[in-house]
Every structure is written in structure tokens, then in C-alpha cells.
PDB file of all heavy atoms in Angstrom:
ATOM      1  N   TRP A   1     -11.889  81.228 -44.568  1.00  0.00           N
ATOM      2  CA  TRP A   1     -11.036  81.362 -45.780  1.00  0.00           C
ATOM      3  C   TRP A   1     -11.396  82.541 -46.569  1.00  0.00           C
ATOM      4  O   TRP A   1     -12.598  82.705 -46.820  1.00  0.00           O
ATOM      5  CB  TRP A   1     -11.053  80.089 -46.643  1.00  0.00           C
ATOM      6  CG  TRP A   1     -10.324  78.897 -45.983  1.00  0.00           C
ATOM      7  CD1 TRP A   1     -10.931  77.955 -45.257  1.00  0.00           C
ATOM      8  CD2 TRP A   1      -8.990  78.570 -46.107  1.00  0.00           C
ATOM      9  NE1 TRP A   1      -9.941  77.024 -44.826  1.00  0.00           N
ATOM     10  CE2 TRP A   1      -8.756  77.402 -45.297  1.00  0.00           C
ATOM     11  CE3 TRP A   1      -7.854  79.284 -46.699  1.00  0.00           C
ATOM     12  CZ2 TRP A   1      -7.462  76.813 -45.275  1.00  0.00           C
ATOM     13  CZ3 TRP A   1      -6.583  78.646 -46.609  1.00  0.00           C
ATOM     14  CH2 TRP A   1      -6.424  77.485 -45.851  1.00  0.00           C
ATOM     15  N   VAL A   2     -10.525  83.425 -47.009  1.00  0.00           N
ATOM     16  CA  VAL A   2     -10.928  84.515 -47.913  1.00  0.00           C
ATOM     17  C   VAL A   2     -10.337  84.195 -49.298  1.00  0.00           C
ATOM     18  O   VAL A   2      -9.307  83.467 -49.400  1.00  0.00           O
ATOM     19  CB  VAL A   2     -10.378  85.871 -47.362  1.00  0.00           C
ATOM     20  CG1 VAL A   2     -11.000  86.251 -46.052  1.00  0.00           C
ATOM     21  CG2 VAL A   2      -8.798  85.821 -47.196  1.00  0.00           C
ATOM     22  N   ASP A   3     -10.961  84.752 -50.321  1.00  0.00           N
ATOM     23  CA  ASP A   3     -10.579  84.437 -51.747  1.00  0.00           C
ATOM     24  C   ASP A   3      -9.614  85.431 -52.423  1.00  0.00           C
ATOM     25  O   ASP A   3      -9.282  85.266 -53.549  1.00  0.00           O
ATOM     26  CB  ASP A   3     -11.822  84.112 -52.512  1.00  0.00           C
ATOM     27  CG  ASP A   3     -12.824  85.312 -52.588  1.00  0.00           C
ATOM     28  OD1 ASP A   3     -12.422  86.430 -52.193  1.00  0.00           O
ATOM     29  OD2 ASP A   3     -13.854  85.147 -53.106  1.00  0.00           O
ATOM     30  N   ARG A   4      -9.324  86.523 -51.617  1.00  0.00           N
ATOM     31  CA  ARG A   4      -8.354  87.443 -52.181  1.00  0.00           C
ATOM     32  C   ARG A   4      -7.372  87.852 -51.055  1.00  0.00           C
ATOM     33  O   ARG A   4      -7.857  88.046 -49.896  1.00  0.00           O
ATOM     34  CB  ARG A   4      -9.100  88.698 -52.712  1.00  0.00           C
ATOM     35  CG  ARG A   4     -10.092  88.473 -53.789  1.00  0.00           C
ATOM     36  CD  ARG A   4     -10.478  89.769 -54.580  1.00  0.00           C
ATOM     37  NE  ARG A   4     -10.689  90.898 -53.644  1.00  0.00           N
ATOM     38  CZ  ARG A   4     -11.879  91.077 -53.044  1.00  0.00           C
ATOM     39  NH1 ARG A   4     -12.943  90.308 -53.338  1.00  0.00           N
ATOM     40  NH2 ARG A   4     -12.069  92.177 -52.317  1.00  0.00           N
ATOM     41  N   GLU A   5      -6.218  87.890 -51.418  1.00  0.00           N
ATOM     42  CA  GLU A   5      -5.202  88.055 -50.340  1.00  0.00           C
ATOM     43  C   GLU A   5      -5.354  89.380 -49.549  1.00  0.00           C
ATOM     44  O   GLU A   5      -5.101  89.546 -48.396  1.00  0.00           O
ATOM     45  CB  GLU A   5      -3.715  88.029 -50.992  1.00  0.00           C
ATOM     46  CG  GLU A   5      -2.584  88.173 -49.809  1.00  0.00           C
ATOM     47  CD  GLU A   5      -1.224  87.837 -50.356  1.00  0.00           C
ATOM     48  OE1 GLU A   5      -1.051  87.847 -51.559  1.00  0.00           O
ATOM     49  OE2 GLU A   5      -0.318  87.718 -49.572  1.00  0.00           O
ATOM     50  N   GLU A   6      -5.801  90.478 -50.244  1.00  0.00           N
ATOM     51  CA  GLU A   6      -5.944  91.738 -49.622  1.00  0.00           C
ATOM     52  C   GLU A   6      -6.952  91.718 -48.490  1.00  0.00           C
ATOM     53  O   GLU A   6      -6.931  92.542 -47.621  1.00  0.00           O
ATOM     54  CB  GLU A   6      -6.265  92.897 -50.672  1.00  0.00           C
ATOM     55  CG  GLU A   6      -7.517  92.681 -51.410  1.00  0.00           C
ATOM     56  CD  GLU A   6      -7.330  91.996 -52.744  1.00  0.00           C
ATOM     57  OE1 GLU A   6      -6.416  91.223 -52.897  1.00  0.00           O
ATOM     58  OE2 GLU A   6      -8.227  92.266 -53.636  1.00  0.00           O
ATOM     59  N   LEU A   7      -7.822  90.718 -48.586  1.00  0.00           N
ATOM     60  CA  LEU A   7      -8.869  90.518 -47.555  1.00  0.00           C
ATOM     61  C   LEU A   7      -8.247  90.114 -46.151  1.00  0.00           C
ATOM     62  O   LEU A   7      -8.882  90.270 -45.162  1.00  0.00           O
ATOM     63  CB  LEU A   7     -10.035  89.656 -47.915  1.00  0.00           C
ATOM     64  CG  LEU A   7     -10.863  90.125 -49.165  1.00  0.00           C
ATOM     65  CD1 LEU A   7     -11.864  89.060 -49.460  1.00  0.00           C
ATOM     66  CD2 LEU A   7     -11.434  91.497 -48.732  1.00  0.00           C
ATOM     67  N   ILE A   8      -7.001  89.571 -46.202  1.00  0.00           N
ATOM     68  CA  ILE A   8      -6.420  89.218 -44.976  1.00  0.00           C
ATOM     69  C   ILE A   8      -6.118  90.551 -44.164  1.00  0.00           C
ATOM     70  O   ILE A   8      -6.199  90.472 -42.964  1.00  0.00           O
ATOM     71  CB  ILE A   8      -5.044  88.463 -45.165  1.00  0.00           C
ATOM     72  CG1 ILE A   8      -5.444  86.957 -45.535  1.00  0.00           C
ATOM     73  CG2 ILE A   8      -4.151  88.431 -43.977  1.00  0.00           C
ATOM     74  CD1 ILE A   8      -5.879  86.140 -44.336  1.00  0.00           C
ATOM     75  N   ASP A   9      -5.840  91.533 -44.836  1.00  0.00           N
ATOM     76  CA  ASP A   9      -5.676  92.858 -44.204  1.00  0.00           C
ATOM     77  C   ASP A   9      -6.949  93.345 -43.576  1.00  0.00           C
ATOM     78  O   ASP A   9      -6.969  93.955 -42.462  1.00  0.00           O
ATOM     79  CB  ASP A   9      -5.081  93.900 -45.133  1.00  0.00           C
ATOM     80  CG  ASP A   9      -3.675  93.588 -45.612  1.00  0.00           C
ATOM     81  OD1 ASP A   9      -2.906  93.046 -44.742  1.00  0.00           O
ATOM     82  OD2 ASP A   9      -3.419  93.900 -46.738  1.00  0.00           O
ATOM     83  N   VAL A  10      -8.075  93.034 -44.242  1.00  0.00           N
ATOM     84  CA  VAL A  10      -9.313  93.389 -43.643  1.00  0.00           C
ATOM     85  C   VAL A  10      -9.665  92.550 -42.360  1.00  0.00           C
ATOM     86  O   VAL A  10     -10.188  93.083 -41.332  1.00  0.00           O
ATOM     87  CB  VAL A  10     -10.549  93.224 -44.678  1.00  0.00           C
ATOM     88  CG1 VAL A  10     -11.845  93.601 -44.068  1.00  0.00           C
ATOM     89  CG2 VAL A  10     -10.263  94.064 -45.965  1.00  0.00           C
ATOM     90  N   VAL A  11      -9.225  91.278 -42.517  1.00  0.00           N
ATOM     91  CA  VAL A  11      -9.449  90.382 -41.274  1.00  0.00           C
ATOM     92  C   VAL A  11      -8.572  90.960 -40.090  1.00  0.00           C
ATOM     93  O   VAL A  11      -9.053  90.956 -39.004  1.00  0.00           O
ATOM     94  CB  VAL A  11      -8.997  88.960 -41.667  1.00  0.00           C
ATOM     95  CG1 VAL A  11      -8.978  88.117 -40.358  1.00  0.00           C
ATOM     96  CG2 VAL A  11      -9.996  88.284 -42.638  1.00  0.00           C
ATOM     97  N   THR A  12      -7.398  91.413 -40.511  1.00  0.00           N
ATOM     98  CA  THR A  12      -6.559  92.007 -39.504  1.00  0.00           C
ATOM     99  C   THR A  12      -7.263  93.202 -38.788  1.00  0.00           C
ATOM    100  O   THR A  12      -7.293  93.357 -37.565  1.00  0.00           O
ATOM    101  CB  THR A  12      -5.278  92.545 -40.153  1.00  0.00           C
ATOM    102  OG1 THR A  12      -4.630  91.462 -40.676  1.00  0.00           O
ATOM    103  CG2 THR A  12      -4.327  93.150 -39.071  1.00  0.00           C
ATOM    104  N   GLY A  13      -7.906  94.060 -39.532  1.00  0.00           N
ATOM    105  CA  GLY A  13      -8.511  95.228 -39.126  1.00  0.00           C
ATOM    106  C   GLY A  13      -9.765  94.985 -38.290  1.00  0.00           C
ATOM    107  O   GLY A  13     -10.127  95.626 -37.369  1.00  0.00           O
ATOM    108  N   LEU A  14     -10.475  93.826 -38.675  1.00  0.00           N
ATOM    109  CA  LEU A  14     -11.743  93.529 -37.958  1.00  0.00           C
ATOM    110  C   LEU A  14     -11.470  92.703 -36.738  1.00  0.00           C
ATOM    111  O   LEU A  14     -11.889  92.943 -35.632  1.00  0.00           O
ATOM    112  CB  LEU A  14     -12.617  92.714 -39.017  1.00  0.00           C
ATOM    113  CG  LEU A  14     -14.011  92.193 -38.417  1.00  0.00           C
ATOM    114  CD1 LEU A  14     -14.779  93.463 -37.974  1.00  0.00           C
ATOM    115  CD2 LEU A  14     -14.764  91.476 -39.462  1.00  0.00           C
ATOM    116  N   SER A  15     -10.979  91.402 -36.977  1.00  0.00           N
ATOM    117  CA  SER A  15     -10.809  90.490 -35.890  1.00  0.00           C
ATOM    118  C   SER A  15      -9.420  90.334 -35.210  1.00  0.00           C
ATOM    119  O   SER A  15      -9.257  90.048 -34.019  1.00  0.00           O
ATOM    120  CB  SER A  15     -11.280  88.985 -36.255  1.00  0.00           C
ATOM    121  OG  SER A  15     -10.596  88.599 -37.314  1.00  0.00           O
ATOM    122  N   GLY A  16      -8.417  90.547 -36.139  1.00  0.00           N
ATOM    123  CA  GLY A  16      -7.048  90.574 -35.606  1.00  0.00           C
ATOM    124  C   GLY A  16      -6.777  91.581 -34.550  1.00  0.00           C
ATOM    125  O   GLY A  16      -6.335  91.323 -33.405  1.00  0.00           O
ATOM    126  N   SER A  17      -7.085  92.912 -34.827  1.00  0.00           N
ATOM    127  CA  SER A  17      -7.033  94.048 -33.906  1.00  0.00           C
ATOM    128  C   SER A  17      -8.262  94.139 -33.051  1.00  0.00           C
ATOM    129  O   SER A  17      -8.311  94.859 -32.103  1.00  0.00           O
ATOM    130  CB  SER A  17      -6.756  95.249 -34.733  1.00  0.00           C
ATOM    131  OG  SER A  17      -5.478  95.181 -35.389  1.00  0.00           O
ATOM    132  N   GLY A  18      -9.377  93.479 -33.510  1.00  0.00           N
ATOM    133  CA  GLY A  18     -10.575  93.678 -32.784  1.00  0.00           C
ATOM    134  C   GLY A  18     -10.761  93.596 -31.300  1.00  0.00           C
ATOM    135  O   GLY A  18     -11.403  94.269 -30.630  1.00  0.00           O
ATOM    136  N   PRO A  19     -10.058  92.480 -30.690  1.00  0.00           N
ATOM    137  CA  PRO A  19     -10.147  92.373 -29.208  1.00  0.00           C
ATOM    138  C   PRO A  19      -9.686  93.787 -28.501  1.00  0.00           C
ATOM    139  O   PRO A  19     -10.342  94.091 -27.518  1.00  0.00           O
ATOM    140  CB  PRO A  19      -9.149  91.354 -28.934  1.00  0.00           C
ATOM    141  CG  PRO A  19      -9.235  90.472 -30.081  1.00  0.00           C
ATOM    142  CD  PRO A  19      -9.328  91.400 -31.308  1.00  0.00           C
ATOM    143  N   ALA A  20      -8.803  94.514 -29.088  1.00  0.00           N
ATOM    144  CA  ALA A  20      -8.381  95.707 -28.480  1.00  0.00           C
ATOM    145  C   ALA A  20      -9.483  96.774 -28.503  1.00  0.00           C
ATOM    146  O   ALA A  20      -9.568  97.564 -27.493  1.00  0.00           O
ATOM    147  CB  ALA A  20      -7.120  96.254 -29.092  1.00  0.00           C
ATOM    148  N   TYR A  21     -10.421  96.646 -29.536  1.00  0.00           N
ATOM    149  CA  TYR A  21     -11.502  97.752 -29.594  1.00  0.00           C
ATOM    150  C   TYR A  21     -12.452  97.423 -28.439  1.00  0.00           C
ATOM    151  O   TYR A  21     -12.891  98.424 -27.768  1.00  0.00           O
ATOM    152  CB  TYR A  21     -12.270  97.474 -30.823  1.00  0.00           C
ATOM    153  CG  TYR A  21     -11.373  97.553 -32.185  1.00  0.00           C
ATOM    154  CD1 TYR A  21     -11.943  96.862 -33.342  1.00  0.00           C
ATOM    155  CD2 TYR A  21     -10.120  98.005 -32.199  1.00  0.00           C
ATOM    156  CE1 TYR A  21     -11.170  96.883 -34.518  1.00  0.00           C
ATOM    157  CE2 TYR A  21      -9.441  97.969 -33.371  1.00  0.00           C
ATOM    158  CZ  TYR A  21      -9.959  97.408 -34.531  1.00  0.00           C
ATOM    159  OH  TYR A  21      -9.117  97.321 -35.688  1.00  0.00           O
ATOM    160  N   PHE A  22     -12.756  96.155 -28.107  1.00  0.00           N
ATOM    161  CA  PHE A  22     -13.547  95.865 -27.027  1.00  0.00           C
ATOM    162  C   PHE A  22     -12.922  96.152 -25.627  1.00  0.00           C
ATOM    163  O   PHE A  22     -13.588  96.675 -24.762  1.00  0.00           O
ATOM    164  CB  PHE A  22     -13.948  94.403 -27.027  1.00  0.00           C
ATOM    165  CG  PHE A  22     -14.894  94.067 -28.130  1.00  0.00           C
ATOM    166  CD1 PHE A  22     -14.508  93.683 -29.351  1.00  0.00           C
ATOM    167  CD2 PHE A  22     -16.273  94.126 -27.919  1.00  0.00           C
ATOM    168  CE1 PHE A  22     -15.399  93.419 -30.373  1.00  0.00           C
ATOM    169  CE2 PHE A  22     -17.197  93.852 -28.844  1.00  0.00           C
ATOM    170  CZ  PHE A  22     -16.736  93.509 -30.099  1.00  0.00           C
ATOM    171  N   PHE A  23     -11.578  95.936 -25.564  1.00  0.00           N
ATOM    172  CA  PHE A  23     -10.873  96.324 -24.289  1.00  0.00           C
ATOM    173  C   PHE A  23     -10.937  97.795 -24.116  1.00  0.00           C
ATOM    174  O   PHE A  23     -11.238  98.216 -22.959  1.00  0.00           O
ATOM    175  CB  PHE A  23      -9.436  95.828 -24.372  1.00  0.00           C
ATOM    176  CG  PHE A  23      -9.255  94.318 -24.485  1.00  0.00           C
ATOM    177  CD1 PHE A  23      -8.110  93.817 -25.203  1.00  0.00           C
ATOM    178  CD2 PHE A  23     -10.174  93.444 -24.023  1.00  0.00           C
ATOM    179  CE1 PHE A  23      -7.970  92.466 -25.301  1.00  0.00           C
ATOM    180  CE2 PHE A  23     -10.054  92.054 -24.215  1.00  0.00           C
ATOM    181  CZ  PHE A  23      -8.879  91.611 -24.877  1.00  0.00           C
ATOM    182  N   ALA A  24     -10.840  98.585 -25.160  1.00  0.00           N
ATOM    183  CA  ALA A  24     -10.896 100.012 -25.038  1.00  0.00           C
ATOM    184  C   ALA A  24     -12.338 100.441 -24.626  1.00  0.00           C
ATOM    185  O   ALA A  24     -12.475 101.379 -23.839  1.00  0.00           O
ATOM    186  CB  ALA A  24     -10.540 100.694 -26.271  1.00  0.00           C
ATOM    187  N   MET A  25     -13.266  99.726 -25.194  1.00  0.00           N
ATOM    188  CA  MET A  25     -14.688 100.225 -24.838  1.00  0.00           C
ATOM    189  C   MET A  25     -14.897  99.905 -23.365  1.00  0.00           C
ATOM    190  O   MET A  25     -15.473 100.672 -22.657  1.00  0.00           O
ATOM    191  CB  MET A  25     -15.640  99.339 -25.667  1.00  0.00           C
ATOM    192  CG  MET A  25     -17.103  99.635 -25.414  1.00  0.00           C
ATOM    193  SD  MET A  25     -17.615 101.275 -25.902  1.00  0.00           S
ATOM    194  CE  MET A  25     -19.355 101.189 -25.608  1.00  0.00           C
ATOM    195  N   VAL A  26     -14.438  98.762 -22.802  1.00  0.00           N
ATOM    196  CA  VAL A  26     -14.663  98.363 -21.459  1.00  0.00           C
ATOM    197  C   VAL A  26     -13.814  99.436 -20.574  1.00  0.00           C
ATOM    198  O   VAL A  26     -14.372  99.793 -19.517  1.00  0.00           O
ATOM    199  CB  VAL A  26     -14.263  96.946 -21.132  1.00  0.00           C
ATOM    200  CG1 VAL A  26     -14.261  96.644 -19.726  1.00  0.00           C
ATOM    201  CG2 VAL A  26     -15.258  95.942 -21.906  1.00  0.00           C
ATOM    202  N   GLU A  27     -12.669  99.725 -20.994  1.00  0.00           N
ATOM    203  CA  GLU A  27     -11.852 100.656 -20.288  1.00  0.00           C
ATOM    204  C   GLU A  27     -12.649 101.960 -20.033  1.00  0.00           C
ATOM    205  O   GLU A  27     -12.608 102.600 -18.934  1.00  0.00           O
ATOM    206  CB  GLU A  27     -10.629 100.903 -21.136  1.00  0.00           C
ATOM    207  CG  GLU A  27      -9.491 101.928 -20.417  1.00  0.00           C
ATOM    208  CD  GLU A  27      -8.401 102.004 -21.262  1.00  0.00           C
ATOM    209  OE1 GLU A  27      -8.314 101.462 -22.390  1.00  0.00           O
ATOM    210  OE2 GLU A  27      -7.527 102.878 -20.910  1.00  0.00           O
ATOM    211  N   HIS A  28     -13.267 102.437 -21.077  1.00  0.00           N
ATOM    212  CA  HIS A  28     -13.966 103.707 -21.005  1.00  0.00           C
ATOM    213  C   HIS A  28     -15.276 103.583 -20.263  1.00  0.00           C
ATOM    214  O   HIS A  28     -15.721 104.556 -19.557  1.00  0.00           O
ATOM    215  CB  HIS A  28     -14.249 104.265 -22.452  1.00  0.00           C
ATOM    216  CG  HIS A  28     -12.903 104.724 -23.092  1.00  0.00           C
ATOM    217  ND1 HIS A  28     -12.004 105.576 -22.576  1.00  0.00           N
ATOM    218  CD2 HIS A  28     -12.437 104.392 -24.342  1.00  0.00           C
ATOM    219  CE1 HIS A  28     -10.893 105.695 -23.329  1.00  0.00           C
ATOM    220  NE2 HIS A  28     -11.139 104.977 -24.440  1.00  0.00           N
ATOM    221  N   LEU A  29     -15.931 102.510 -20.369  1.00  0.00           N
ATOM    222  CA  LEU A  29     -17.117 102.248 -19.571  1.00  0.00           C
ATOM    223  C   LEU A  29     -16.750 102.335 -18.039  1.00  0.00           C
ATOM    224  O   LEU A  29     -17.436 102.859 -17.245  1.00  0.00           O
ATOM    225  CB  LEU A  29     -17.785 100.834 -19.835  1.00  0.00           C
ATOM    226  CG  LEU A  29     -18.531 100.720 -21.088  1.00  0.00           C
ATOM    227  CD1 LEU A  29     -18.932  99.235 -21.390  1.00  0.00           C
ATOM    228  CD2 LEU A  29     -19.872 101.659 -21.089  1.00  0.00           C
ATOM    229  N   ILE A  30     -15.653 101.727 -17.711  1.00  0.00           N
ATOM    230  CA  ILE A  30     -15.221 101.719 -16.405  1.00  0.00           C
ATOM    231  C   ILE A  30     -15.005 103.165 -15.806  1.00  0.00           C
ATOM    232  O   ILE A  30     -15.482 103.584 -14.730  1.00  0.00           O
ATOM    233  CB  ILE A  30     -13.940 100.911 -16.181  1.00  0.00           C
ATOM    234  CG1 ILE A  30     -14.226  99.364 -16.297  1.00  0.00           C
ATOM    235  CG2 ILE A  30     -13.370 101.130 -14.730  1.00  0.00           C
ATOM    236  CD1 ILE A  30     -13.030  98.531 -16.441  1.00  0.00           C
ATOM    237  N   GLU A  31     -14.249 103.930 -16.667  1.00  0.00           N
ATOM    238  CA  GLU A  31     -13.999 105.262 -16.337  1.00  0.00           C
ATOM    239  C   GLU A  31     -15.235 106.112 -16.195  1.00  0.00           C
ATOM    240  O   GLU A  31     -15.420 106.997 -15.314  1.00  0.00           O
ATOM    241  CB  GLU A  31     -13.008 105.873 -17.322  1.00  0.00           C
ATOM    242  CG  GLU A  31     -11.631 105.320 -17.231  1.00  0.00           C
ATOM    243  CD  GLU A  31     -10.930 105.361 -15.913  1.00  0.00           C
ATOM    244  OE1 GLU A  31     -11.124 106.339 -15.164  1.00  0.00           O
ATOM    245  OE2 GLU A  31     -10.313 104.318 -15.543  1.00  0.00           O
ATOM    246  N   SER A  32     -16.210 105.847 -17.034  1.00  0.00           N
ATOM    247  CA  SER A  32     -17.494 106.554 -17.032  1.00  0.00           C
ATOM    248  C   SER A  32     -18.215 106.285 -15.670  1.00  0.00           C
ATOM    249  O   SER A  32     -18.718 107.213 -15.035  1.00  0.00           O
ATOM    250  CB  SER A  32     -18.371 106.246 -18.203  1.00  0.00           C
ATOM    251  OG  SER A  32     -17.833 106.704 -19.443  1.00  0.00           O
ATOM    252  N   GLY A  33     -18.272 104.936 -15.333  1.00  0.00           N
ATOM    253  CA  GLY A  33     -18.875 104.545 -14.086  1.00  0.00           C
ATOM    254  C   GLY A  33     -18.291 105.227 -12.865  1.00  0.00           C
ATOM    255  O   GLY A  33     -18.989 105.680 -11.982  1.00  0.00           O
ATOM    256  N   ILE A  34     -16.951 105.352 -12.879  1.00  0.00           N
ATOM    257  CA  ILE A  34     -16.194 105.961 -11.755  1.00  0.00           C
ATOM    258  C   ILE A  34     -16.512 107.461 -11.634  1.00  0.00           C
ATOM    259  O   ILE A  34     -16.760 107.909 -10.564  1.00  0.00           O
ATOM    260  CB  ILE A  34     -14.682 105.763 -11.925  1.00  0.00           C
ATOM    261  CG1 ILE A  34     -14.292 104.308 -11.825  1.00  0.00           C
ATOM    262  CG2 ILE A  34     -13.899 106.623 -10.992  1.00  0.00           C
ATOM    263  CD1 ILE A  34     -12.908 103.917 -12.193  1.00  0.00           C
ATOM    264  N   SER A  35     -16.606 108.090 -12.844  1.00  0.00           N
ATOM    265  CA  SER A  35     -16.828 109.510 -12.833  1.00  0.00           C
ATOM    266  C   SER A  35     -18.231 109.791 -12.377  1.00  0.00           C
ATOM    267  O   SER A  35     -18.482 110.986 -11.872  1.00  0.00           O
ATOM    268  CB  SER A  35     -16.612 110.097 -14.280  1.00  0.00           C
ATOM    269  OG  SER A  35     -17.658 109.686 -15.156  1.00  0.00           O
ATOM    270  N   LEU A  36     -19.103 108.897 -12.383  1.00  0.00           N
ATOM    271  CA  LEU A  36     -20.500 109.109 -11.918  1.00  0.00           C
ATOM    272  C   LEU A  36     -20.782 108.580 -10.555  1.00  0.00           C
ATOM    273  O   LEU A  36     -21.874 108.457 -10.155  1.00  0.00           O
ATOM    274  CB  LEU A  36     -21.494 108.466 -12.922  1.00  0.00           C
ATOM    275  CG  LEU A  36     -21.483 109.104 -14.311  1.00  0.00           C
ATOM    276  CD1 LEU A  36     -22.231 108.275 -15.391  1.00  0.00           C
ATOM    277  CD2 LEU A  36     -22.088 110.554 -14.320  1.00  0.00           C
ATOM    278  N   GLY A  37     -19.731 108.082  -9.868  1.00  0.00           N
ATOM    279  CA  GLY A  37     -19.843 107.733  -8.472  1.00  0.00           C
ATOM    280  C   GLY A  37     -19.530 106.348  -8.028  1.00  0.00           C
ATOM    281  O   GLY A  37     -19.342 105.991  -6.891  1.00  0.00           O
ATOM    282  N   LEU A  38     -19.422 105.381  -9.038  1.00  0.00           N
ATOM    283  CA  LEU A  38     -19.083 104.027  -8.583  1.00  0.00           C
ATOM    284  C   LEU A  38     -17.609 103.928  -8.234  1.00  0.00           C
ATOM    285  O   LEU A  38     -16.833 104.729  -8.720  1.00  0.00           O
ATOM    286  CB  LEU A  38     -19.367 103.003  -9.725  1.00  0.00           C
ATOM    287  CG  LEU A  38     -20.740 102.795 -10.260  1.00  0.00           C
ATOM    288  CD1 LEU A  38     -20.863 101.965 -11.424  1.00  0.00           C
ATOM    289  CD2 LEU A  38     -21.546 102.170  -9.073  1.00  0.00           C
ATOM    290  N   THR A  39     -17.290 102.885  -7.432  1.00  0.00           N
ATOM    291  CA  THR A  39     -15.935 102.640  -7.163  1.00  0.00           C
ATOM    292  C   THR A  39     -15.260 101.990  -8.345  1.00  0.00           C
ATOM    293  O   THR A  39     -15.978 101.391  -9.152  1.00  0.00           O
ATOM    294  CB  THR A  39     -15.674 101.761  -5.905  1.00  0.00           C
ATOM    295  OG1 THR A  39     -16.214 100.469  -6.183  1.00  0.00           O
ATOM    296  CG2 THR A  39     -16.528 102.271  -4.606  1.00  0.00           C
TER     297      THR A  39
END
């Protein structure tokens, strides 16, 4: 629970959209591994 409505937008930026940040990180880790020789 947040005590100010504008903090819901912060929750959006942190955890609402957050899964995509991790997916992007893994996406780039995969490409880095491939560029260095892994399948």
C-alpha cells in the first residue's frame, strides 16, 4: 500500500514494468554469450 497516489506511477516504473527490464537483460546476456562462441 502506498500513501500518495503519485507513488502508484513509481510502482508502475519499478515493478509494473520491471519484468521487462529483466527480460531485456537476459536477452542481451544471451546475445553476448553467442557472440563469444556459445550456441
Side-chain angles (χ1 to χ4, degrees):
W1 288 95
V2 296
D3 57 9
R4 302 196 313 277
E5 185 172 10
E6 60 266 29
L7 292 178
I8 282 289
D9 293 325
V10 180
V11 172
T12 301
L14 178 62
S15 58
S17 299
Y21 312 157
F22 286 89
F23 300 151
M25 181 68 176
V26 172
E27 181 183 358
H28 293 308
L29 283 173
I30 290 168
E31 293 304 322
S32 294
I34 292 169
S35 71
L36 293 169
L38 294 173
T39 67

